[in-house]
């Protein structure tokens, strides 16, 4: 999304951010050892595996380090517009 950002935590940063691209990888793990037992494709999940529905991008403030959904940074900028 192309929109101005403002950090909802430090409330001063409008220009330095890290965009974190999230790439969910569905897997089945051994509950005792943590070993990877099986990898799934998003098209071939088993009936008990819920597909990832979270945001594709998270944003980290380059000043204070806060990591939030992109819309939190956009909403803060909308409510505190530059003159």
């Amino acid at each position: 999304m192309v929109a101005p950002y403002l950090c909802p935590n430090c409330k001063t940063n409008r220009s330095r951010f890290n965009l974190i691209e999230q790439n969910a990888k569905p897997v089945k793990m051994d509950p005792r050892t943590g070993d990877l037992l099986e990898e799934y494709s998003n098209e071939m999940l088993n009936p008990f595996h819920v597909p990832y529905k979270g945001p594709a991008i998270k944003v980290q403030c380059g000043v204070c380090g806060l990591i939030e959904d992109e819309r939190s940074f956009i909403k803060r900028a909308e409510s505190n517009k530059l003159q």
Side-chain angles (χ1 to χ4, degrees), residues 3-83:
Y5 289 171
L6 174 61
C7 178
N9 185 51
C10 67
K11 299 172 183 77
T12 57
N13 180 27
R14 293 180 180 269
S15 60
R16 292 181 305 276
F17 303 97
N18 296 311
L19 300 180
I20 304 164
E21 295 177 359
Q22 299 196 120
N23 184 18
K25 179 178 170 182
V27 298
K28 182 176 182 181
M29 296 172 66
D30 185 296
R32 292 188 189 103
T33 65
D35 290 338
L36 195 62
L37 298 177
E38 192 172 351
E39 289 186 40
Y40 302 106
S41 70
N42 285 322
E43 296 79 30
M44 301 298 284
L45 292 176
N46 74 28
F48 299 107
H49 200 114
V50 177
Y52 179 72
K53 293 182 177 143
I57 294 178
K58 290 256 190 183
V59 178
Q60 181 180 29
C61 175
V63 174
C64 72
L66 175 75
I67 299 174
E68 286 287 337
D69 288 348
E70 183 182 35
R71 79 189 108 165
S72 299
F73 287 83
I74 293 170
K75 290 294 183 188
R76 176 55 93 172
E78 287 174 354
S79 68
N80 192 346
K81 291 190 183 226
L82 281 176
Q83 302 303 329

